[in-house]
Amino acid sequence: MVRVRFAPSPTGYLHIGSARTALFNWLYAEHNKGSFLLRIEDTDKARSKDEYLEEILGSLKWLFMNWGEEPVFQSKRFDIYKRYAEESVTKGASYREGSAIIFKVEKGKKVFFDDMIHGRIEVSTDDIKDQVLIKSDGTPTYNFACVIDDVEMKISHVIRGDDHISNTPKQILLYETFKFPIPNFAHIPLILSKEGGRLSKRHGATSIFEYRNQGFLPEALVNYLALMGWSPGDDREILSLEEIIKLFDVKDVNKTGATFDMDKLSWMNGQYIKNMPPKDLDSKVTNFLKEGDVMGGDIDKEKWTKIINIYK
Ligand code: GLU
């Protein structure tokens, strides 16, 4: 049974990169008739905001992603993390330093995992420092809470960004210590700008809600996101969500960074606009303009439809 999760931190809006991570998880679940779960990583109480959470959930829904079970909130699980951490102290695997709990990393060992995209990744524990599990303020660290939750949520495949590759060996040491079953891992490449660097405002909007506000169609955006690092195996570019679900496999995702190209996305959006049945386009455009307070109530319907048809 495939069970995957998307684990956003509600410390900012959903951006292109995270939306693509969520989408690859969701597609993998849909393709395998599994479950797509949400975990809200809100351990940083000062930086987490309801406003961000709402926007993240709204953006996921807008992009057709739905989840079956109630989201898990890490902020409600501090007692659970504490209990596991105490258990590791009792076992002699961790030690206390003031009110912090720290996991001892045994030197001279190899840790490895077989990434579904990158193949075998191996590191020496000589390169891993002792790991804080619970900080002195009582909050769990990302690596610790992540492992406990992935186990308790029965996650079968952890699909996340490349930037977490160095965390995975640290997490595996925890799985081994607690004798937890180890899930499969797939680290998807980061999204880069055309020039090869990190994606920033300069390259266009970075958060999903800005695309929505600009009038992008979710069908086009989701199609574009799916093709960032994955392809159907031929050179088709316009694919329905049903087709993508049918063809998607995480092991076919590229190893190297995917490039974000605003011109390409605009082109794709244009294709969707041109191919949309006139009636649907009509109501979408009308609603969009009304929401933006650009258009009043009284219009000559017939004339209006013609205008849309000319401009599309
Ligand atoms: N909150 C983490 C992030 O947004 C989750 C990483 C993970 O999926 O394990 O990067």
Side-chain angles (χ1 to χ4, degrees), residues 191-210:
I191 295 178
L192 306 171
S193 71
K194 263 207 229 167
E195 301 82 52
R198 258 190 108 87
L199 202 59
S200 73
K201 274 267 168 227
R202 209 155 44 78
H203 308 102
T206 51
S207 60
I208 297 301
F209 85 92
E210 287 176 73

Side-chain angles (χ1 to χ4, degrees), residues 87-311:
E87 185 189 317
S88 77
V89 175
T90 314
K91 280 192 198 156
S94 300
Y95 56 93
R96 286 178 208 277
E97 210 171 80
S99 43
I101 297 181
I102 299 166
F103 174 70
K104 238 184 311 196
V105 174
E106 214 183 294
K107 301 291 162 192
K109 277 185 13 182
K110 293 255 175 269
V111 207
F112 69 86
F113 63 99
D114 292 306
D115 190 276
M116 292 172 79
I117 297 168
H118 297 272
R120 178 154 298 198
I121 293 178
E122 191 177 282
V123 296
S124 159
T125 54
D126 293 344
D127 298 324
I128 304 177
K129 287 194 240 133
D130 283 3
Q131 297 293 309
V132 177
L133 302 184
I134 304 284
K135 299 181 221 172
S136 46
D137 66 0
T139 59
T141 53
Y142 156 70
N143 276 322
F144 183 50
C146 179
V147 167
I148 300 300
D149 291 342
D150 283 339
V151 169
E152 293 210 339
M153 291 167 78
K154 299 190 166 50
I155 298 303
S156 62
H157 296 75
V158 172
I159 303 170
R160 61 184 166 206
D162 251 359
D163 49 333
H164 286 288
I165 283 193
S166 63
N167 283 322
T168 305
K170 297 172 188 167
Q171 297 186 1
I172 287 177
L173 290 175
L174 295 172
Y175 280 98
E176 287 172 348
T177 300
F178 285 96
K179 300 198 164 51
F180 291 145
I182 299 175
N184 299 292
F185 291 97
H187 291 89
I188 59 183
L190 291 181
I191 295 178
L192 306 171
S193 71
K194 263 207 229 167
E195 301 82 52
R198 258 190 108 87
L199 202 59
S200 73
K201 274 267 168 227
R202 209 155 44 78
H203 308 102
T206 51
S207 60
I208 297 301
F209 85 92
E210 287 176 73
Y211 288 95
R212 180 165 47 175
N213 291 346
Q214 285 176 25
F216 278 87
L217 296 173
E219 291 85 353
L221 191 52
V222 100
N223 186 161
Y224 184 74
L225 287 174
L227 295 185
M228 262 197 294
W230 175 82
S231 83
D234 50 41
D235 40 12
R236 268 181 308 160
E237 293 187 305
I238 306 288
L239 294 118
S240 70
L241 206 44
E242 288 69 39
E243 285 174 292
I244 297 171
I245 290 168
K246 210 163 85 197
L247 298 168
F248 185 82
D249 192 333
V250 79
K251 67 178 186 346
D252 297 333
V253 171
N254 297 334
K255 285 191 185 58
T256 48
T259 309
F260 178 77
D261 181 346
M262 191 63 198
D263 297 332
K264 185 78 182 274
L265 171 58
S266 298
W267 168 81
M268 193 171 276
N269 195 50
Q271 295 300 306
Y272 273 85
I273 289 174
K274 284 180 192 141
N275 295 329
M276 182 167 272
K279 232 174 58 270
D280 296 353
L281 185 63
D282 194 334
S283 70
K284 274 198 192 254
V285 171
T286 309
N287 287 339
F288 182 72
L289 294 179
K290 279 188 176 159
E291 267 172 37
D293 231 358
V294 178
M295 199 167 116
D298 293 332
I299 37 163
D300 177 341
K301 262 278 351 65
E302 218 172 297
K303 216 173 179 180
W304 179 232
T305 306
K306 280 187 191 149
I307 292 173
I308 292 174
N309 256 306
I310 293 168
Y311 274 91

